[in-house]
Amino acid sequence: MEKVRTAVIGVGHLGQYHARWYKNIEECELVGIYDTNATNRNEIAAKYNVQSFEKLSDLFGKVDAVSIVTPTIYHYEVAKEIISENISCLIEKPITSTVAQAEELVALAQDKSITLTVGHIERFNPAVQELKKFDINPRFIEAHRLAAFDPRGTDVAVILDLMIHDIDLALYLTKSKVKKIDASAISVISDNADIANARLTFENGAVANLTASRISLKAMRKLRLFQKSGYFSLDLAEKRADIYRLADDSLDDQSGTRIPLGKSGREILYSKSGNKDDDMLAAELRSFVKAIQNGSTPEIKASEAVEALKTALAIEKIGLANGGGVID
Ligand code: NAD
């Protein structure tokens, strides 16, 4: 199979790692770098001995796929030009700043028959991947994503910057649509919301309580989900899943350590898995390249990223007004 020719657009904090992996993944070839900042693009291009493109249009015809890793406010204008040239793209999260922009890109990508995916990287977290082994039907999700303040990312609210990861996971895990949002959001240091809490009620009755802060002294990325058959506690920073299932000898997989459940006469099966050394970005980019080579649907569909964005923007609006509301 032919190698996928790639480039990275925007090589700041995160884009440099996209370049590193495209250089190292066997199924692709890193052709070049484009960044509006000449110092950044020249430095990374020299590091990997690839072309430093002076204009976006210089990479047209030379690559099959790109990662767009610019600040969010530029995702739309860059992606529109790229997709128009029939180039597949992975846009970092959130897909765009507005739903109208995102929907336009999805329609354009369909029209051009290119692969469009979005960097909802937590889907590649080993702790989240572990859940694929189980029948997941959460009734209640609790997520905390706390980070220290960093001016990077403050072009958008904490909901689009950090909480969007957990919004995407909640949508993915519940496999349902959001029916109702209660939220609160506060701007503390930046001009946008820096801390937010949202309670999402899904059409299937599941509930997700999400908290995100970028003004925290302590970092934390945890998601816990509860369902009738068990409790799944994911430490996303440690890439570890602790799994507590109700033992049921009528089912096949009864592996794990047996722990008595209080005085109920029932037992819990406890198991843990995950690997801190697994690189989630490598997995994300490999999955993108594979989807291009096989002509298959990418693991993260652009339409899912649009749903996550819609929910995030609704949380921001409702949260800043400090009230509750219903999505129509
Ligand atoms: P950054 O500010 O460190 O880097 C952005 C780079 O893009 C800079 O080098 C800048 O010169 C360049 N740039 C700006 N406008 C451009 C344009 N129009 N064309 C080409 N280059 C341009 O930002 P970052 O922290 O690397 O974030 C970039 C994106 O990645 C954001 O959308 C952010 O939300 C996302 N991100 C995702 C994750 C994740 O967990 N998936 C983590 C961090 C950042």
Side-chain angles (χ1 to χ4, degrees), residues 14 18 67-69 75 89-96 116-124 145 160-161 164-165 168 280-281 284-285 288 300-302 305:
L14 183 60
H18 281 247
S67 281
I68 298 175
V69 202
H75 287 181
C89 62
L90 182 154
I91 307 176
E92 260 307 334
K93 52 67 16 195
I95 178 169
T96 51
L116 174 63
T117 188
V118 177
H120 284 294
I121 195 164
E122 293 287 19
R123 297 265 204 109
F124 297 93
R145 188 170 292 262
L160 273 89
D161 184 21
I164 195 144
H165 287 293
D168 172 64
M280 290 149 53
L281 183 59
E284 177 183 280
L285 298 182
F288 173 47
I300 286 119
K301 296 192 269 303

PDB file of all heavy atoms in Angstrom, residues 14 18 67-69 75 89-96 116-124 145 160-161 164-165 168 280-281 284-285 288 300-302 305:
ATOM      1  N   LEU A  14       1.386  21.695  20.450  1.00  0.00           N
ATOM      2  CA  LEU A  14       0.925  20.333  20.115  1.00  0.00           C
ATOM      3  C   LEU A  14       1.360  19.880  18.718  1.00  0.00           C
ATOM      4  O   LEU A  14       1.677  18.706  18.516  1.00  0.00           O
ATOM      5  CB  LEU A  14      -0.614  20.274  20.235  1.00  0.00           C
ATOM      6  CG  LEU A  14      -1.249  18.916  20.003  1.00  0.00           C
ATOM      7  CD1 LEU A  14      -0.736  17.876  21.008  1.00  0.00           C
ATOM      8  CD2 LEU A  14      -2.770  19.003  20.116  1.00  0.00           C
ATOM      9  N   HIS A  18       2.579  16.122  16.404  1.00  0.00           N
ATOM     10  CA  HIS A  18       1.976  15.540  15.185  1.00  0.00           C
ATOM     11  C   HIS A  18       3.095  15.289  14.169  1.00  0.00           C
ATOM     12  O   HIS A  18       3.148  14.241  13.533  1.00  0.00           O
ATOM     13  CB  HIS A  18       0.941  16.489  14.594  1.00  0.00           C
ATOM     14  CG  HIS A  18      -0.390  16.466  15.299  1.00  0.00           C
ATOM     15  ND1 HIS A  18      -1.537  15.992  14.711  1.00  0.00           N
ATOM     16  CD2 HIS A  18      -0.753  16.864  16.546  1.00  0.00           C
ATOM     17  CE1 HIS A  18      -2.540  16.099  15.568  1.00  0.00           C
ATOM     18  NE2 HIS A  18      -2.098  16.644  16.684  1.00  0.00           N
ATOM     19  N   SER A  67      -2.613  17.483   9.360  1.00  0.00           N
ATOM     20  CA  SER A  67      -3.176  17.780  10.683  1.00  0.00           C
ATOM     21  C   SER A  67      -3.261  19.291  10.777  1.00  0.00           C
ATOM     22  O   SER A  67      -2.287  19.983  10.446  1.00  0.00           O
ATOM     23  CB  SER A  67      -2.250  17.294  11.800  1.00  0.00           C
ATOM     24  OG  SER A  67      -2.375  15.921  12.014  1.00  0.00           O
ATOM     25  N   ILE A  68      -4.398  19.799  11.250  1.00  0.00           N
ATOM     26  CA  ILE A  68      -4.547  21.248  11.456  1.00  0.00           C
ATOM     27  C   ILE A  68      -4.469  21.490  12.962  1.00  0.00           C
ATOM     28  O   ILE A  68      -5.369  21.108  13.721  1.00  0.00           O
ATOM     29  CB  ILE A  68      -5.869  21.758  10.851  1.00  0.00           C
ATOM     30  CG1 ILE A  68      -5.848  21.497   9.336  1.00  0.00           C
ATOM     31  CG2 ILE A  68      -6.079  23.240  11.160  1.00  0.00           C
ATOM     32  CD1 ILE A  68      -7.132  21.839   8.618  1.00  0.00           C
ATOM     33  N   VAL A  69      -3.352  22.106  13.379  1.00  0.00           N
ATOM     34  CA  VAL A  69      -3.090  22.258  14.815  1.00  0.00           C
ATOM     35  C   VAL A  69      -2.835  23.735  15.134  1.00  0.00           C
ATOM     36  O   VAL A  69      -1.941  24.092  15.903  1.00  0.00           O
ATOM     37  CB  VAL A  69      -1.915  21.342  15.259  1.00  0.00           C
ATOM     38  CG1 VAL A  69      -2.001  21.092  16.766  1.00  0.00           C
ATOM     39  CG2 VAL A  69      -1.924  20.005  14.533  1.00  0.00           C
ATOM     40  N   HIS A  75      -9.194  27.185  12.677  1.00  0.00           N
ATOM     41  CA  HIS A  75      -9.460  25.848  12.128  1.00  0.00           C
ATOM     42  C   HIS A  75     -10.302  25.929  10.858  1.00  0.00           C
ATOM     43  O   HIS A  75     -10.014  25.266   9.859  1.00  0.00           O
ATOM     44  CB  HIS A  75     -10.204  24.971  13.150  1.00  0.00           C
ATOM     45  CG  HIS A  75      -9.351  24.514  14.296  1.00  0.00           C
ATOM     46  ND1 HIS A  75      -9.825  23.714  15.308  1.00  0.00           N
ATOM     47  CD2 HIS A  75      -8.053  24.754  14.598  1.00  0.00           C
ATOM     48  CE1 HIS A  75      -8.859  23.475  16.184  1.00  0.00           C
ATOM     49  NE2 HIS A  75      -7.770  24.102  15.778  1.00  0.00           N
ATOM     50  N   CYS A  89      -8.173  15.625   6.187  1.00  0.00           N
ATOM     51  CA  CYS A  89      -7.616  16.321   7.347  1.00  0.00           C
ATOM     52  C   CYS A  89      -8.132  15.869   8.691  1.00  0.00           C
ATOM     53  O   CYS A  89      -9.272  15.433   8.837  1.00  0.00           O
ATOM     54  CB  CYS A  89      -7.674  17.834   7.208  1.00  0.00           C
ATOM     55  SG  CYS A  89      -9.229  18.565   7.067  1.00  0.00           S
ATOM     56  N   LEU A  90      -7.199  15.970   9.620  1.00  0.00           N
ATOM     57  CA  LEU A  90      -7.488  15.767  11.038  1.00  0.00           C
ATOM     58  C   LEU A  90      -7.398  17.166  11.645  1.00  0.00           C
ATOM     59  O   LEU A  90      -6.334  17.791  11.597  1.00  0.00           O
ATOM     60  CB  LEU A  90      -6.458  14.836  11.681  1.00  0.00           C
ATOM     61  CG  LEU A  90      -6.677  14.511  13.164  1.00  0.00           C
ATOM     62  CD1 LEU A  90      -6.035  13.169  13.506  1.00  0.00           C
ATOM     63  CD2 LEU A  90      -6.161  15.571  14.120  1.00  0.00           C
ATOM     64  N   ILE A  91      -8.519  17.650  12.158  1.00  0.00           N
ATOM     65  CA  ILE A  91      -8.536  18.969  12.795  1.00  0.00           C
ATOM     66  C   ILE A  91      -8.454  18.745  14.302  1.00  0.00           C
ATOM     67  O   ILE A  91      -9.183  17.899  14.843  1.00  0.00           O
ATOM     68  CB  ILE A  91      -9.834  19.735  12.462  1.00  0.00           C
ATOM     69  CG1 ILE A  91     -10.073  19.790  10.955  1.00  0.00           C
ATOM     70  CG2 ILE A  91      -9.792  21.136  13.060  1.00  0.00           C
ATOM     71  CD1 ILE A  91     -11.403  20.453  10.559  1.00  0.00           C
ATOM     72  N   GLU A  92      -7.582  19.486  14.969  1.00  0.00           N
ATOM     73  CA  GLU A  92      -7.536  19.356  16.428  1.00  0.00           C
ATOM     74  C   GLU A  92      -8.884  19.774  17.012  1.00  0.00           C
ATOM     75  O   GLU A  92      -9.654  20.493  16.403  1.00  0.00           O
ATOM     76  CB  GLU A  92      -6.392  20.215  17.011  1.00  0.00           C
ATOM     77  CG  GLU A  92      -5.148  19.405  17.327  1.00  0.00           C
ATOM     78  CD  GLU A  92      -5.419  18.192  18.222  1.00  0.00           C
ATOM     79  OE1 GLU A  92      -6.386  18.193  18.990  1.00  0.00           O
ATOM     80  OE2 GLU A  92      -4.644  17.226  18.139  1.00  0.00           O
ATOM     81  N   LYS A  93      -9.163  19.301  18.216  1.00  0.00           N
ATOM     82  CA  LYS A  93     -10.419  19.668  18.856  1.00  0.00           C
ATOM     83  C   LYS A  93     -10.330  21.087  19.408  1.00  0.00           C
ATOM     84  O   LYS A  93      -9.233  21.511  19.749  1.00  0.00           O
ATOM     85  CB  LYS A  93     -10.824  18.669  19.942  1.00  0.00           C
ATOM     86  CG  LYS A  93      -9.803  18.345  21.002  1.00  0.00           C
ATOM     87  CD  LYS A  93      -9.266  19.231  22.042  1.00  0.00           C
ATOM     88  CE  LYS A  93      -9.616  20.466  22.610  1.00  0.00           C
ATOM     89  NZ  LYS A  93      -8.606  21.159  23.418  1.00  0.00           N
ATOM     90  N   PRO A  94     -11.415  21.830  19.535  1.00  0.00           N
ATOM     91  CA  PRO A  94     -12.728  21.541  18.966  1.00  0.00           C
ATOM     92  C   PRO A  94     -12.707  21.795  17.459  1.00  0.00           C
ATOM     93  O   PRO A  94     -11.908  22.604  16.996  1.00  0.00           O
ATOM     94  CB  PRO A  94     -13.641  22.553  19.674  1.00  0.00           C
ATOM     95  CG  PRO A  94     -12.746  23.704  20.002  1.00  0.00           C
ATOM     96  CD  PRO A  94     -11.393  23.129  20.254  1.00  0.00           C
ATOM     97  N   ILE A  95     -13.589  21.119  16.737  1.00  0.00           N
ATOM     98  CA  ILE A  95     -13.525  21.155  15.268  1.00  0.00           C
ATOM     99  C   ILE A  95     -13.444  22.587  14.730  1.00  0.00           C
ATOM    100  O   ILE A  95     -12.611  22.880  13.876  1.00  0.00           O
ATOM    101  CB  ILE A  95     -14.703  20.339  14.658  1.00  0.00           C
ATOM    102  CG1 ILE A  95     -14.685  20.396  13.129  1.00  0.00           C
ATOM    103  CG2 ILE A  95     -16.048  20.756  15.196  1.00  0.00           C
ATOM    104  CD1 ILE A  95     -15.639  19.411  12.453  1.00  0.00           C
ATOM    105  N   THR A  96     -14.294  23.478  15.213  1.00  0.00           N
ATOM    106  CA  THR A  96     -14.293  24.898  14.815  1.00  0.00           C
ATOM    107  C   THR A  96     -14.848  25.708  15.980  1.00  0.00           C
ATOM    108  O   THR A  96     -15.203  25.144  17.015  1.00  0.00           O
ATOM    109  CB  THR A  96     -15.207  25.144  13.579  1.00  0.00           C
ATOM    110  OG1 THR A  96     -16.474  24.568  13.866  1.00  0.00           O
ATOM    111  CG2 THR A  96     -14.657  24.538  12.310  1.00  0.00           C
ATOM    112  N   LEU A 116     -12.304  13.175   6.927  1.00  0.00           N
ATOM    113  CA  LEU A 116     -12.260  14.285   7.883  1.00  0.00           C
ATOM    114  C   LEU A 116     -12.481  13.711   9.278  1.00  0.00           C
ATOM    115  O   LEU A 116     -13.465  13.016   9.522  1.00  0.00           O
ATOM    116  CB  LEU A 116     -13.363  15.315   7.558  1.00  0.00           C
ATOM    117  CG  LEU A 116     -13.526  16.460   8.563  1.00  0.00           C
ATOM    118  CD1 LEU A 116     -12.279  17.327   8.658  1.00  0.00           C
ATOM    119  CD2 LEU A 116     -14.737  17.343   8.181  1.00  0.00           C
ATOM    120  N   THR A 117     -11.519  13.979  10.162  1.00  0.00           N
ATOM    121  CA  THR A 117     -11.690  13.522  11.540  1.00  0.00           C
ATOM    122  C   THR A 117     -11.217  14.626  12.479  1.00  0.00           C
ATOM    123  O   THR A 117     -10.674  15.645  12.034  1.00  0.00           O
ATOM    124  CB  THR A 117     -10.954  12.188  11.792  1.00  0.00           C
ATOM    125  OG1 THR A 117     -11.307  11.686  13.086  1.00  0.00           O
ATOM    126  CG2 THR A 117      -9.444  12.351  11.734  1.00  0.00           C
ATOM    127  N   VAL A 118     -11.459  14.439  13.773  1.00  0.00           N
ATOM    128  CA  VAL A 118     -11.162  15.495  14.744  1.00  0.00           C
ATOM    129  C   VAL A 118     -10.404  14.880  15.936  1.00  0.00           C
ATOM    130  O   VAL A 118     -10.663  13.737  16.317  1.00  0.00           O
ATOM    131  CB  VAL A 118     -12.475  16.197  15.189  1.00  0.00           C
ATOM    132  CG1 VAL A 118     -12.199  17.251  16.256  1.00  0.00           C
ATOM    133  CG2 VAL A 118     -13.152  16.830  13.980  1.00  0.00           C
ATOM    134  N   GLY A 119      -9.484  15.666  16.501  1.00  0.00           N
ATOM    135  CA  GLY A 119      -8.589  15.157  17.541  1.00  0.00           C
ATOM    136  C   GLY A 119      -9.208  14.987  18.917  1.00  0.00           C
ATOM    137  O   GLY A 119      -8.689  15.530  19.904  1.00  0.00           O
ATOM    138  N   HIS A 120     -10.286  14.214  18.989  1.00  0.00           N
ATOM    139  CA  HIS A 120     -10.840  13.886  20.320  1.00  0.00           C
ATOM    140  C   HIS A 120     -10.023  12.725  20.879  1.00  0.00           C
ATOM    141  O   HIS A 120     -10.458  11.572  20.923  1.00  0.00           O
ATOM    142  CB  HIS A 120     -12.335  13.576  20.206  1.00  0.00           C
ATOM    143  CG  HIS A 120     -13.166  14.813  20.045  1.00  0.00           C
ATOM    144  ND1 HIS A 120     -13.273  15.753  21.045  1.00  0.00           N
ATOM    145  CD2 HIS A 120     -13.877  15.295  19.002  1.00  0.00           C
ATOM    146  CE1 HIS A 120     -14.024  16.761  20.629  1.00  0.00           C
ATOM    147  NE2 HIS A 120     -14.400  16.504  19.387  1.00  0.00           N
ATOM    148  N   ILE A 121      -8.839  13.084  21.322  1.00  0.00           N
ATOM    149  CA  ILE A 121      -7.777  12.108  21.625  1.00  0.00           C
ATOM    150  C   ILE A 121      -8.111  11.147  22.757  1.00  0.00           C
ATOM    151  O   ILE A 121      -7.614  10.026  22.782  1.00  0.00           O
ATOM    152  CB  ILE A 121      -6.461  12.874  21.908  1.00  0.00           C
ATOM    153  CG1 ILE A 121      -5.257  11.933  21.871  1.00  0.00           C
ATOM    154  CG2 ILE A 121      -6.527  13.654  23.220  1.00  0.00           C
ATOM    155  CD1 ILE A 121      -3.934  12.657  21.749  1.00  0.00           C
ATOM    156  N   GLU A 122      -8.990  11.558  23.675  1.00  0.00           N
ATOM    157  CA  GLU A 122      -9.283  10.675  24.811  1.00  0.00           C
ATOM    158  C   GLU A 122      -9.910   9.355  24.369  1.00  0.00           C
ATOM    159  O   GLU A 122      -9.857   8.363  25.072  1.00  0.00           O
ATOM    160  CB  GLU A 122     -10.178  11.360  25.842  1.00  0.00           C
ATOM    161  CG  GLU A 122      -9.530  12.517  26.576  1.00  0.00           C
ATOM    162  CD  GLU A 122      -8.474  12.104  27.613  1.00  0.00           C
ATOM    163  OE1 GLU A 122      -7.955  10.971  27.553  1.00  0.00           O
ATOM    164  OE2 GLU A 122      -8.172  12.952  28.477  1.00  0.00           O
ATOM    165  N   ARG A 123     -10.496   9.333  23.182  1.00  0.00           N
ATOM    166  CA  ARG A 123     -11.056   8.069  22.676  1.00  0.00           C
ATOM    167  C   ARG A 123      -9.956   7.021  22.510  1.00  0.00           C
ATOM    168  O   ARG A 123     -10.227   5.830  22.466  1.00  0.00           O
ATOM    169  CB  ARG A 123     -11.716   8.280  21.323  1.00  0.00           C
ATOM    170  CG  ARG A 123     -12.887   9.209  21.390  1.00  0.00           C
ATOM    171  CD  ARG A 123     -14.195   8.465  21.535  1.00  0.00           C
ATOM    172  NE  ARG A 123     -15.186   9.386  21.010  1.00  0.00           N
ATOM    173  CZ  ARG A 123     -15.815   9.219  19.877  1.00  0.00           C
ATOM    174  NH1 ARG A 123     -15.616   8.142  19.146  1.00  0.00           N
ATOM    175  NH2 ARG A 123     -16.675  10.123  19.463  1.00  0.00           N
ATOM    176  N   PHE A 124      -8.711   7.506  22.370  1.00  0.00           N
ATOM    177  CA  PHE A 124      -7.584   6.582  22.180  1.00  0.00           C
ATOM    178  C   PHE A 124      -6.866   6.303  23.500  1.00  0.00           C
ATOM    179  O   PHE A 124      -5.842   5.641  23.515  1.00  0.00           O
ATOM    180  CB  PHE A 124      -6.608   7.142  21.134  1.00  0.00           C
ATOM    181  CG  PHE A 124      -7.253   7.268  19.782  1.00  0.00           C
ATOM    182  CD1 PHE A 124      -7.857   8.447  19.387  1.00  0.00           C
ATOM    183  CD2 PHE A 124      -7.296   6.172  18.924  1.00  0.00           C
ATOM    184  CE1 PHE A 124      -8.494   8.550  18.164  1.00  0.00           C
ATOM    185  CE2 PHE A 124      -7.920   6.262  17.695  1.00  0.00           C
ATOM    186  CZ  PHE A 124      -8.526   7.455  17.308  1.00  0.00           C
ATOM    187  N   ARG A 145     -12.028  17.393  35.133  1.00  0.00           N
ATOM    188  CA  ARG A 145     -10.850  17.699  34.312  1.00  0.00           C
ATOM    189  C   ARG A 145     -10.311  19.047  34.805  1.00  0.00           C
ATOM    190  O   ARG A 145     -10.882  20.108  34.531  1.00  0.00           O
ATOM    191  CB  ARG A 145     -11.261  17.770  32.835  1.00  0.00           C
ATOM    192  CG  ARG A 145     -10.088  17.884  31.875  1.00  0.00           C
ATOM    193  CD  ARG A 145     -10.568  17.690  30.461  1.00  0.00           C
ATOM    194  NE  ARG A 145     -10.996  16.326  30.266  1.00  0.00           N
ATOM    195  CZ  ARG A 145     -10.249  15.364  29.707  1.00  0.00           C
ATOM    196  NH1 ARG A 145      -9.060  15.643  29.243  1.00  0.00           N
ATOM    197  NH2 ARG A 145     -10.721  14.139  29.575  1.00  0.00           N
ATOM    198  N   LEU A 160     -14.864  24.634  25.684  1.00  0.00           N
ATOM    199  CA  LEU A 160     -14.374  24.210  24.368  1.00  0.00           C
ATOM    200  C   LEU A 160     -12.935  23.715  24.436  1.00  0.00           C
ATOM    201  O   LEU A 160     -12.497  22.923  23.600  1.00  0.00           O
ATOM    202  CB  LEU A 160     -14.460  25.363  23.355  1.00  0.00           C
ATOM    203  CG  LEU A 160     -15.818  25.457  22.670  1.00  0.00           C
ATOM    204  CD1 LEU A 160     -16.745  26.337  23.456  1.00  0.00           C
ATOM    205  CD2 LEU A 160     -15.675  25.951  21.266  1.00  0.00           C
ATOM    206  N   ASP A 161     -12.191  24.212  25.410  1.00  0.00           N
ATOM    207  CA  ASP A 161     -10.781  23.850  25.523  1.00  0.00           C
ATOM    208  C   ASP A 161     -10.619  22.490  26.217  1.00  0.00           C
ATOM    209  O   ASP A 161      -9.961  21.593  25.683  1.00  0.00           O
ATOM    210  CB  ASP A 161     -10.075  24.964  26.320  1.00  0.00           C
ATOM    211  CG  ASP A 161      -8.584  24.768  26.424  1.00  0.00           C
ATOM    212  OD1 ASP A 161      -8.021  24.039  25.584  1.00  0.00           O
ATOM    213  OD2 ASP A 161      -7.971  25.336  27.346  1.00  0.00           O
ATOM    214  N   ILE A 164     -14.716  19.744  26.528  1.00  0.00           N
ATOM    215  CA  ILE A 164     -15.167  19.093  25.291  1.00  0.00           C
ATOM    216  C   ILE A 164     -14.700  17.643  25.204  1.00  0.00           C
ATOM    217  O   ILE A 164     -15.371  16.798  24.617  1.00  0.00           O
ATOM    218  CB  ILE A 164     -14.742  19.912  24.051  1.00  0.00           C
ATOM    219  CG1 ILE A 164     -15.512  19.441  22.827  1.00  0.00           C
ATOM    220  CG2 ILE A 164     -13.233  19.868  23.825  1.00  0.00           C
ATOM    221  CD1 ILE A 164     -15.895  20.495  21.858  1.00  0.00           C
ATOM    222  N   HIS A 165     -13.563  17.319  25.823  1.00  0.00           N
ATOM    223  CA  HIS A 165     -13.098  15.922  25.834  1.00  0.00           C
ATOM    224  C   HIS A 165     -14.137  15.038  26.542  1.00  0.00           C
ATOM    225  O   HIS A 165     -14.460  13.950  26.080  1.00  0.00           O
ATOM    226  CB  HIS A 165     -11.773  15.801  26.589  1.00  0.00           C
ATOM    227  CG  HIS A 165     -10.594  16.357  25.850  1.00  0.00           C
ATOM    228  ND1 HIS A 165     -10.115  15.797  24.698  1.00  0.00           N
ATOM    229  CD2 HIS A 165      -9.783  17.411  26.110  1.00  0.00           C
ATOM    230  CE1 HIS A 165      -9.049  16.472  24.282  1.00  0.00           C
ATOM    231  NE2 HIS A 165      -8.832  17.466  25.116  1.00  0.00           N
ATOM    232  N   ASP A 168     -17.474  14.785  24.637  1.00  0.00           N
ATOM    233  CA  ASP A 168     -17.372  13.773  23.580  1.00  0.00           C
ATOM    234  C   ASP A 168     -17.476  12.369  24.166  1.00  0.00           C
ATOM    235  O   ASP A 168     -18.190  11.514  23.634  1.00  0.00           O
ATOM    236  CB  ASP A 168     -16.043  13.932  22.820  1.00  0.00           C
ATOM    237  CG  ASP A 168     -15.825  12.784  21.841  1.00  0.00           C
ATOM    238  OD1 ASP A 168     -16.623  12.651  20.896  1.00  0.00           O
ATOM    239  OD2 ASP A 168     -14.883  11.985  22.050  1.00  0.00           O
ATOM    240  N   MET A 280      -1.215   8.139  23.034  1.00  0.00           N
ATOM    241  CA  MET A 280      -2.551   8.316  22.466  1.00  0.00           C
ATOM    242  C   MET A 280      -2.513   9.046  21.130  1.00  0.00           C
ATOM    243  O   MET A 280      -3.295   8.761  20.230  1.00  0.00           O
ATOM    244  CB  MET A 280      -3.429   9.091  23.453  1.00  0.00           C
ATOM    245  CG  MET A 280      -3.782   8.265  24.677  1.00  0.00           C
ATOM    246  SD  MET A 280      -3.988   9.224  26.191  1.00  0.00           S
ATOM    247  CE  MET A 280      -5.166  10.457  25.733  1.00  0.00           C
ATOM    248  N   LEU A 281      -1.583  10.002  20.991  1.00  0.00           N
ATOM    249  CA  LEU A 281      -1.497  10.742  19.727  1.00  0.00           C
ATOM    250  C   LEU A 281      -1.032   9.815  18.596  1.00  0.00           C
ATOM    251  O   LEU A 281      -1.559   9.881  17.482  1.00  0.00           O
ATOM    252  CB  LEU A 281      -0.552  11.945  19.861  1.00  0.00           C
ATOM    253  CG  LEU A 281      -0.433  12.833  18.635  1.00  0.00           C
ATOM    254  CD1 LEU A 281      -1.782  13.417  18.218  1.00  0.00           C
ATOM    255  CD2 LEU A 281       0.571  13.978  18.876  1.00  0.00           C
ATOM    256  N   GLU A 284      -3.991   7.851  17.579  1.00  0.00           N
ATOM    257  CA  GLU A 284      -4.946   8.691  16.847  1.00  0.00           C
ATOM    258  C   GLU A 284      -4.487   8.885  15.392  1.00  0.00           C
ATOM    259  O   GLU A 284      -5.277   8.757  14.445  1.00  0.00           O
ATOM    260  CB  GLU A 284      -5.056  10.042  17.559  1.00  0.00           C
ATOM    261  CG  GLU A 284      -5.942  11.058  16.884  1.00  0.00           C
ATOM    262  CD  GLU A 284      -5.922  12.385  17.646  1.00  0.00           C
ATOM    263  OE1 GLU A 284      -6.637  12.476  18.652  1.00  0.00           O
ATOM    264  OE2 GLU A 284      -5.199  13.305  17.246  1.00  0.00           O
ATOM    265  N   LEU A 285      -3.200   9.189  15.223  1.00  0.00           N
ATOM    266  CA  LEU A 285      -2.701   9.459  13.865  1.00  0.00           C
ATOM    267  C   LEU A 285      -2.638   8.171  13.040  1.00  0.00           C
ATOM    268  O   LEU A 285      -2.935   8.182  11.841  1.00  0.00           O
ATOM    269  CB  LEU A 285      -1.329  10.152  13.913  1.00  0.00           C
ATOM    270  CG  LEU A 285      -1.343  11.531  14.602  1.00  0.00           C
ATOM    271  CD1 LEU A 285       0.039  12.175  14.564  1.00  0.00           C
ATOM    272  CD2 LEU A 285      -2.367  12.467  13.973  1.00  0.00           C
ATOM    273  N   PHE A 288      -6.081   7.536  11.798  1.00  0.00           N
ATOM    274  CA  PHE A 288      -6.414   8.474  10.705  1.00  0.00           C
ATOM    275  C   PHE A 288      -5.800   7.980   9.389  1.00  0.00           C
ATOM    276  O   PHE A 288      -6.489   7.878   8.359  1.00  0.00           O
ATOM    277  CB  PHE A 288      -5.881   9.859  11.086  1.00  0.00           C
ATOM    278  CG  PHE A 288      -5.981  10.930  10.034  1.00  0.00           C
ATOM    279  CD1 PHE A 288      -7.154  11.142   9.317  1.00  0.00           C
ATOM    280  CD2 PHE A 288      -4.888  11.765   9.773  1.00  0.00           C
ATOM    281  CE1 PHE A 288      -7.236  12.158   8.358  1.00  0.00           C
ATOM    282  CE2 PHE A 288      -4.960  12.773   8.831  1.00  0.00           C
ATOM    283  CZ  PHE A 288      -6.129  12.968   8.111  1.00  0.00           C
ATOM    284  N   ILE A 300     -13.176   8.588  14.836  1.00  0.00           N
ATOM    285  CA  ILE A 300     -13.982   9.719  15.306  1.00  0.00           C
ATOM    286  C   ILE A 300     -14.579  10.401  14.083  1.00  0.00           C
ATOM    287  O   ILE A 300     -13.870  11.027  13.287  1.00  0.00           O
ATOM    288  CB  ILE A 300     -13.136  10.699  16.143  1.00  0.00           C
ATOM    289  CG1 ILE A 300     -12.866  10.058  17.500  1.00  0.00           C
ATOM    290  CG2 ILE A 300     -13.907  11.997  16.432  1.00  0.00           C
ATOM    291  CD1 ILE A 300     -11.557   9.813  17.873  1.00  0.00           C
ATOM    292  N   LYS A 301     -15.883  10.240  13.949  1.00  0.00           N
ATOM    293  CA  LYS A 301     -16.562  10.831  12.792  1.00  0.00           C
ATOM    294  C   LYS A 301     -16.686  12.337  13.009  1.00  0.00           C
ATOM    295  O   LYS A 301     -16.939  12.778  14.137  1.00  0.00           O
ATOM    296  CB  LYS A 301     -17.951  10.209  12.622  1.00  0.00           C
ATOM    297  CG  LYS A 301     -17.908   8.728  12.301  1.00  0.00           C
ATOM    298  CD  LYS A 301     -19.254   8.223  11.855  1.00  0.00           C
ATOM    299  CE  LYS A 301     -20.133   7.702  12.940  1.00  0.00           C
ATOM    300  NZ  LYS A 301     -19.674   6.633  13.781  1.00  0.00           N
ATOM    301  N   ALA A 302     -16.543  13.110  11.926  1.00  0.00           N
ATOM    302  CA  ALA A 302     -16.648  14.562  12.052  1.00  0.00           C
ATOM    303  C   ALA A 302     -18.021  14.952  12.603  1.00  0.00           C
ATOM    304  O   ALA A 302     -18.147  15.917  13.364  1.00  0.00           O
ATOM    305  CB  ALA A 302     -16.386  15.211  10.695  1.00  0.00           C
ATOM    306  N   ALA A 305     -17.974  15.110  16.240  1.00  0.00           N
ATOM    307  CA  ALA A 305     -17.299  16.324  16.726  1.00  0.00           C
ATOM    308  C   ALA A 305     -18.256  17.519  16.669  1.00  0.00           C
ATOM    309  O   ALA A 305     -18.184  18.426  17.508  1.00  0.00           O
ATOM    310  CB  ALA A 305     -16.050  16.596  15.902  1.00  0.00           C
TER     311      ALA A 305
END
